[in-house]
Amino acid sequence: PQANLCGKATSRSASSIRYSDQADKEHARELYQEFCHYLPRAMFDALSVPKPKTKQQELAELQAKQAKNAQHPRMMFQTEEQFVGQYSQFDKDTGLPTHDANGEALSKSAKKKVDKLYKSRLTKYEKAQARQQQGSSATSVIPPPVPTAEQEQSSVNDINTNNSNNDQEEDGRILPSGTVLPNIVCGVFGNRQGFRCVSAGPTLHCLDL
């Protein structure tokens, strides 16, 4: 393969080709083996989709969101993971950061950014407090409904279908129903590489490398 990448014709008629800057044989063999190893993963990444969230995961995210909105944003820049380590000094009244991690005062644009985040979270906090005072059930954690026998059986059927159609699952991604990964057969390193294309119609093609 590297010959095709670095080959250069020495004349207009391309009667002779010069190969330069090629890796040595053992290094080229390692590169080829790594390519063969990662090719199936690359195809899986291209064809797979994020795995749908379960009802329990959706409920857990809802609980976490409600719990975050129920807390005053005074400490958000000091305790939340996405902000920890970014700032060193904070306003004692509002909790807004005033200096970055290096101890330098925040720029005007940086102050505007954190102020926008703070006001957005403060609005959510005030709405959550208002609903709680009104005795609304909007802020209470909604327990998951008890599934009926038909729903349980349907869930089991869906799981079985997903398991049969999606044998692979990596990093929270699965193959869509009916999607099959191409069968990859790697040639022997150093052998002559041939190419053949067979077509059985406008919608079916077979590439033999």
Side-chain angles (χ1 to χ4, degrees), residues 66-74 79-80 121-122 125 128-129:
Q66 291 178 344
K68 182 182 294 185
N69 292 339
Q71 297 177 356
H72 194 281
R74 186 180 296 107
T79 59
E80 293 187 9
R121 182 68 64 81
L122 182 62
Y125 168 77
Q129 292 299 306

Side-chain angles (χ1 to χ4, degrees), residues 76-96:
M76 63 180 288
F77 294 102
Q78 302 179 50
T79 59
E80 293 187 9
E81 183 178 358
Q82 57 182 325
F83 302 119
V84 171
Q86 296 186 23
Y87 310 103
S88 59
Q89 297 182 38
F90 307 86
D91 185 273
K92 62 179 181 179
D93 296 324
T94 63
L96 284 168

Side-chain angles (χ1 to χ4, degrees), residues 1-10 16-20 22:
Q2 67 169 328
N4 294 329
L5 296 175
C6 65
K8 183 178 180 181
T10 58
S16 60
I17 300 178
R18 181 179 61 193
Y19 302 102
S20 59
Q22 293 192 79

